[in-house]
Amino acid sequence: AAPMKTTRLPGLHYWSAYQPDRRIDFNGFFLEGLAGGVLIDPLPLDAAQLEFVRSRGGARWILLTNADHWRDSARLKRELGARLCAPAAERERLAARAADVSDWFSAEQPLPRELTEGLEVHWLGGGKSPAEAVFVAKRLNAVFFGDAVRSHESGTLRLLPPEKLSAPAVLHQDLRPLLERPFEAVLLGDGDNLLTGAAGALSNLARRLA
């Protein structure tokens, strides 16, 4: 079996772990070549997957959307000699794990400059986190959501359940500019990625929120 799934978007690979209790996949992402290689919300990598990343130039950066997607970040930081970047608003929720973070980023403190050439960051309030990061890969016209937007039925996007939202109106407001953009692909930390039909699924979600 291939160590990672390769997509129609150049340089984008992902790997998954099925969650029987939720009946969805959790996903981690590898953006080959961007700023020396980037992992987003990485699940554990086995030896073959690590070798795949190294064979494609490695990963100099690990990016987190939120504290709950820490997953295997600390080990992979050491294995790959990567810099680990996390949202500054998550420092408290990360607790002792914060010691492993190399770079904090926020609305006031952008990502390291090498990354901003390829990635935009948008911020979502009102979810589980004070400020959850959303990454837009500009060259791929793709958006990466961590927790707030997910999919439990293939092809359909939804939000975290209402009981997990701290301020639904804030989340809806922060999401609006993203839902209006016609992305090629929507990549999800939780649920099935949308590599086709992304713009339609985003506008359907926008209609439901309205």
Side-chain angles (χ1 to χ4, degrees):
M4 279 193 189
K5 295 174 186 170
T6 294
T7 71
R8 67 187 188 85
L9 301 177
L12 174 66
H13 313 275
Y14 72 97
W15 70 109
S16 308
Y18 186 61
Q19 310 299 309
D21 55 331
R22 296 176 176 87
R23 297 191 299 130
I24 60 171
D25 285 337
F26 284 174
N27 303 305
F29 300 94
F30 171 42
L31 282 166
E32 175 190 334
L34 174 65
V38 176
L39 297 176
I40 296 176
D41 288 350
L43 298 159
L45 287 174
D46 64 24
Q49 291 166 330
L50 261 175
E51 183 48 43
F52 178 83
V53 170
R54 290 191 173 110
S55 75
R56 299 301 180 105
R60 288 190 51 215
W61 304 93
I62 296 170
L63 301 184
L64 294 187
T65 58
N66 70 92
D68 293 334
H69 284 200
W70 182 264
R71 297 171 168 177
D72 209 22
S73 295
R75 184 183 73 91
L76 290 171
K77 177 194 175 190
R78 292 190 295 275
E79 288 273 359
L80 294 162
R83 293 186 70 82
L84 173 52
C85 305
E90 295 290 58
R91 193 187 291 254
E92 194 176 314
R93 291 210 313 143
L94 284 170
R97 295 172 297 176
D100 274 310
V101 174
S102 319
D103 301 271
W104 299 99
F105 62 101
S106 65
E108 296 74 35
Q109 174 66 45
L111 286 172
R113 196 156 52 91
E114 289 165 71
L115 289 164
T116 56
E117 289 170 24
L119 294 173
E120 284 173 34
V121 183
H122 290 259
W123 294 101
L124 301 180
K128 288 193 283 185
S129 314
E132 179 175 316
V134 174
F135 300 113
V136 175
K138 295 184 268 196
R139 184 172 54 89
L140 301 179
N141 193 24
V143 60
F144 294 83
F145 288 108
D147 251 342
V149 175
R150 63 236 339 265
S151 173
H152 287 233
E153 304 86 28
S154 276
T156 303
L157 297 174
R158 59 181 270 188
L159 300 185
L160 268 169
E163 64 273 12
K164 297 273 182 78
L165 301 179
S166 57
V170 172
L171 178 60
H172 295 181
Q173 182 182 319
D174 289 352
L175 269 173
R176 203 159 289 130
L178 289 166
L179 299 181
E180 287 163 5
R181 288 176 63 168
F183 289 108
E184 280 284 301
V186 174
L187 294 316
L188 301 169
D190 302 354
D192 281 359
N193 296 310
L194 287 174
L195 292 158
T196 57
L202 286 165
S203 61
N204 285 342
L205 179 58
R207 269 201 301 278
R208 294 202 307 278
L209 297 185

